[in-house]
Amino acid sequence: MSGNGASSSSLNMISGEDVVNNNLTALVVDDSPLLRLLHDIHLKKYGLKVQVAENGKVAVDLFHLGASFDLVLMDKEMPVMNGVEATKELRAMGVTSMIVGVTSKDGPGEQQAFMEAGLDYCFEKPLTPEIIGILLEELNKHNKKD
Amino acid sequence: MAASSTDPTQQLNDYIRTMHDQGILDDNFDQLLALRREQNPRFINELISMFTNDAEAYIAEITNALSLIEVNFSTIISKLHQLKGSTSGIGGHRMYQACCELRVAADDGDKDRCDELFLRVKEEFNTLKQCLDSISQMRSNIISNGTRSRRRRPL
């Protein structure tokens, strides 16, 4: 999958209620402790193994150390290294994880710049359980094709 | 038996609906309530406490940044971003809107406008905090009453 301006409308709107997967891993990258916690809980509800990182540099360093994740939730604005820079760096490293941007209510231009960094999807924060379920459906379909 | 207006759970639901009607809370708060079924009963109260503590810290840092002779707009923007994120996570709709307006003023480097809008952010935070404290208290009472009822149940 590559970043192409995808939003919720371009996803197959299948209910994610039955998507409980004990094999998927996720990385939540956000400088807000509360949002890290919320996304962590939502993802664990679907059976994912979750790690968290408080900024883009921590996330990139994890990949440099050999970690891999099926799904990365990437906040856009973070100290040290923001989501745009981190996403570019991860894609330059050859990371093929599904990277989903999470942003505040920015203008469409700002979301587009984030998408062009290499995101697969971009949504407003916080992600709802429904959106997470749909993303996992897409991830499962993608993994089955491999 | 139908819930009456003296039923604590109904009172809590009515209160939350009122907060929605006034624009103080939005759907993100309802998402948190949906989480409570999987987490411990005090999870929501802990989350509210976490939000309040974090928000007070961010507001203090923004206050400091605004009080400098050379206003530190980058600090304001950074802390405001974190405050916005936490506020959207807890579902504080009006406070989130106030933060968005302050962000525009900070991006413009307009100190006077920042001062004015920051006052509104603090007012909305106080309103939201009172609302969340009330919800916490009502939920604590419901949980306590539920615990006492279970203890009275015959073996």
Side-chain angles (χ1 to χ4, degrees):
Chain A
M1 293 181 198
S2 60
N4 60 357
S7 65
S8 58
S9 59
S10 66
L11 288 171
N12 190 357
M13 302 294 282
I14 297 169
S15 166
E17 283 178 355
D18 297 324
V19 180
V20 177
N21 192 311
N22 294 320
N23 299 319
L24 294 178
T25 57
L27 177 66
V28 176
V29 191
D30 202 308
D31 60 338
S32 164
L34 192 139
L35 287 172
R36 283 200 302 268
L37 176 62
L38 285 180
H39 287 145
D40 176 82
I41 290 168
H42 283 314
L43 288 168
K44 280 178 175 165
K45 198 171 82 164
Y46 285 102
L48 275 77
K49 295 179 181 52
V50 185
Q51 269 190 257
V52 298
E54 65 265 30
N55 62 58
K57 185 176 184 309
V58 173
V60 168
D61 287 347
L62 279 171
F63 279 91
H64 272 303
L65 290 170
S68 68
F69 302 93
D70 298 290
L71 171 67
V72 179
L73 298 188
M74 184 76 78
D75 184 22
K76 181 165 170 268
E77 290 186 46
M78 292 178 286
V80 186
M81 184 185 285
N82 64 38
V84 175
E85 294 163 2
T87 302
K88 283 181 185 172
E89 192 142 334
L90 289 177
R91 292 306 190 204
M93 286 166 61
V95 169
T96 57
S97 310
M98 180 190 282
I99 303 180
V100 176
V102 281
T103 67
S104 301
K105 285 186 184 133
D106 295 329
E110 294 190 50
Q111 248 195 24
Q112 187 59 34
F114 198 7
M115 286 297 306
E116 286 169 2
L119 297 180
D120 293 288
Y121 303 103
C122 194
F123 295 100
E124 270 180 31
K125 62 171 83 171
L127 295 187
T128 63
E130 288 73 26
I131 293 289
I132 290 173
I134 290 163
L135 289 172
L136 295 181
E137 282 276 2
E138 292 296 314
L139 204 52
N140 281 328
K141 276 192 266 178
H142 179 70
N143 287 346
K144 277 176 190 166
K145 284 180 193 168
D146 291 341
Chain B
M1 187 171 115
S4 69
S5 60
T6 57
D7 171 35
T9 302
Q10 187 60 47
Q11 286 179 332
L12 173 60
N13 291 341
D14 290 344
Y15 182 76
I16 292 171
R17 194 177 311 118
T18 304
M19 294 300 106
H20 271 281
D21 292 343
Q22 293 180 18
I24 295 170
L25 295 176
D26 62 24
D27 291 345
N28 289 338
F29 185 77
D30 298 339
Q31 297 283 355
L32 298 184
L33 293 181
L35 281 175
R36 77 183 188 278
R37 295 184 200 102
E38 288 90 24
Q39 303 296 322
N40 73 72
R42 299 192 187 281
F43 168 70
I44 301 299
N45 289 10
E46 290 165 3
L47 210 61
I48 288 172
S49 181
M50 182 181 183
F51 164 73
T52 304
N53 291 339
D54 286 353
E56 285 173 344
Y58 297 142
I59 285 171
E61 291 187 74
I62 294 171
T63 301
N64 286 341
L66 268 175
S67 69
L68 299 174
I69 295 170
E70 290 280 342
V71 174
N72 192 335
F73 288 106
S74 61
T75 297
I76 293 170
I77 288 166
S78 166
K79 294 304 160 189
L80 191 55
H81 168 71
Q82 292 183 303
L83 182 62
K84 268 175 62 181
S86 295
T87 304
S88 73
I90 205 78
H93 181 72
R94 275 181 12 198
M95 182 175 165
Y96 180 82
Q97 298 296 327
C99 288
C100 289
E101 291 177 31
L102 175 57
R103 174 63 193 262
V104 173
D107 284 341
D108 291 342
D110 185 339
K111 183 188 188 305
D112 289 339
R113 188 98 177 108
C114 280
D115 284 335
E116 178 192 331
L117 291 170
F118 187 45
L119 267 177
R120 184 161 159 241
V121 168
K122 287 188 284 189
E123 282 165 7
E124 292 298 345
F125 170 66
N126 287 333
T127 301
L128 178 60
K129 184 174 181 301
Q130 282 173 21
C131 159
L132 293 174
D133 285 345
S134 298
I135 291 171
S136 271
Q137 188 59 55
M138 283 190 256
R139 295 197 75 254
S140 293
N141 292 343
I142 291 167
I143 291 165
S144 301
N145 289 337
T147 305
R148 280 199 289 272
S149 296
R150 281 195 296 275
R151 285 184 185 149
R152 278 195 234 113
R153 200 170 297 152
L155 296 172

